DNA sequence: GCGACAG
DNA sequence: ATCTTGTCGC
């Protein structure tokens, strides 16, 4: 699949911030998903000294069964800067997605959606580029305040930033650290929570992101840069 | 001015 | 993100 739009990627931090403000205008938090959501994709990345690896896992929404896996490798060109994560990860994600034949009905990203200083986390970036519904599912907080949700699975509390509800802190399993859920594009906070819970089985992370995380790790190990270590074991 | 700060 | 085995607790 190809993106609906693109923009330069060789930017300074200042230019990236200006671009985020501009693209944030296109984000929608109104539910606009296919009638039956049939396929869901999970995306995650792994890093090497010089390379970034991205993996996209396509799942059947009703069963969480893997239907397709694509990945890509690309040299890291943008440093990690809180608030500018997408400029470091999206290039690799796009290379992987161009290898994927199916346009998923929903995408779960590892990181924030609108729970971001300029309401444009990585989930929003991916959503706007492909004009697809996306959810930001982060393991920790970037911005906002929230009460600690009850310790039981399904409990959650609103994540508020600048007096506005930008997401929720969700307990996906009993007595485990909660996840930070926020809309990426074409989805509301409530619907995003609904889907994350629906896609969560026996682990803290929902299946799309959990499997993508697990797979990029394997893919990274099978690289020539990591083969030397493997030769010693063999 | 001093912290906090997705992956 | 990444370096990494065993171990404590629900």
């Amino acid at each position: 699949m190809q993106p609906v739009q693109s923009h330069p990627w060789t930017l300074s931090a200042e230019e990236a911030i200006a671009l985020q403000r501009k693209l944030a205008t296109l984000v929608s938090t109104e539910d606009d998903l296919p009638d039956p959501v049939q396929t869901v994709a999970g995306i995650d990345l792994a890093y090497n000294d010089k390379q970034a690896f991205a993996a996209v896992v396509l799942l059947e929404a009703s069963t969480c069964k893997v239907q397709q896996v694509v990945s890509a490798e690309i040299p890291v060109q943008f440093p990690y800067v809180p608030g500018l994560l997408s400029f470091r990860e999206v290039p690799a994600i796009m290379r992987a997605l161009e290898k994927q034949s199916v346009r998923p009905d929903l995408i779960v990203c590892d990181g924030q959606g609108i729970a971001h200083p300029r309401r444009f986390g990585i989930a929003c970036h991916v959503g706007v580029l492909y004009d697809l519904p996306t959810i930001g599912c982060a393991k920790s907080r970037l911005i906002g305040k929230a009460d600690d949700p009850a310790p039981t699975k399904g409990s959650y509390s609103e994540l508020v930033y600048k007096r506005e509800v930008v997401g929720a802190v969700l307990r996906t399993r009993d007595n485990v650290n909660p996840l930070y859920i926020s809309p990426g594009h074409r989805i509301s906070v409530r619907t995003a929570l609904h889907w994350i819970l629906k896609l969560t089985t026996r682990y803290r992370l929902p299946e799309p992101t959990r499997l993508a995380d697990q797979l990029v790790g394997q893919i990274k190990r099978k690289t020539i840069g990591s083969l030397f270590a493997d030769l010693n074991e063999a």
Side-chain angles (χ1 to χ4, degrees):
Chain A
M1 60 189 266
Q2 289 301 309
V4 169
Q5 64 176 284
S6 62
H7 58 71
W9 291 96
T10 50
L11 308 165
S12 63
E14 297 67 41
E15 299 174 317
I17 290 174
L19 184 53
Q20 290 186 321
R21 293 207 163 92
K22 176 186 176 184
L23 296 176
T25 293
L26 308 174
V27 174
S28 169
T29 53
E30 299 283 301
D31 285 320
D32 183 23
L33 299 84
D35 224 322
V37 171
Q38 303 184 306
T39 57
V40 181
I43 302 176
D44 194 33
L45 289 82
Y47 295 87
N48 210 353
D49 291 305
K50 302 176 181 179
Q51 310 291 310
F53 302 79
V56 178
V57 182
L58 187 71
L59 309 173
E60 178 179 47
S62 59
T63 63
C64 280
K65 191 172 184 179
V66 179
Q67 298 191 326
Q68 182 183 181
V69 179
V70 295
S71 62
E73 177 182 348
I74 194 176
V76 181
Q77 35 59 283
F78 202 90
Y80 168 68
V81 179
L84 299 180
L85 175 66
S86 64
F87 288 89
R88 176 183 173 79
E89 311 204 320
V90 177
I93 291 175
M94 291 178 81
R95 281 205 174 182
L97 284 177
E98 57 186 37
K99 296 179 182 177
Q100 184 171 312
S101 54
V102 182
R103 256 177 83 81
D105 293 328
L106 174 66
I107 296 177
V108 179
C109 298
D110 193 333
Q112 314 291 344
I114 63 171
H116 174 280
R118 290 168 293 282
R119 298 177 63 96
F120 201 69
I122 189 168
C124 301
H125 208 145
V126 172
V128 169
L129 249 37
Y130 293 86
D131 190 33
L132 287 174
T134 59
I135 298 173
C137 183
K139 297 180 291 299
S140 60
R141 187 196 73 95
L142 176 59
I143 52 83
K145 299 173 183 176
D147 294 326
D148 288 325
T152 55
K153 177 178 181 177
S155 301
Y156 70 89
S157 55
E158 299 183 322
L159 179 61
V160 179
Y161 182 59
K162 291 183 176 177
R163 311 193 56 178
E164 187 170 16
V165 177
V166 295
V169 181
L170 174 70
R171 195 82 65 181
T172 51
R173 296 247 60 193
D174 285 7
N175 303 315
V176 298
N177 293 145
L179 259 30
Y180 292 73
I181 312 302
S182 60
H185 187 44
R186 296 172 55 174
I187 197 168
S188 63
V189 173
R190 189 188 182 298
T191 304
L193 283 175
H194 171 80
W195 275 102
I196 291 301
L197 282 174
K198 189 170 187 176
L199 296 167
T200 300
T201 60
R202 68 184 66 169
Y203 305 91
R204 176 163 86 122
L205 300 180
E207 291 302 285
T209 294
R210 190 182 72 79
L211 293 172
D213 174 68
Q214 177 182 296
L215 290 171
V216 271
Q218 298 180 3
I219 293 170
K220 191 184 72 172
R221 298 172 201 171
K222 295 181 179 178
T223 288
I224 41 182
S226 307
L227 282 183
F228 295 106
D230 293 2
L231 290 177
N232 295 314
E233 301 171 41

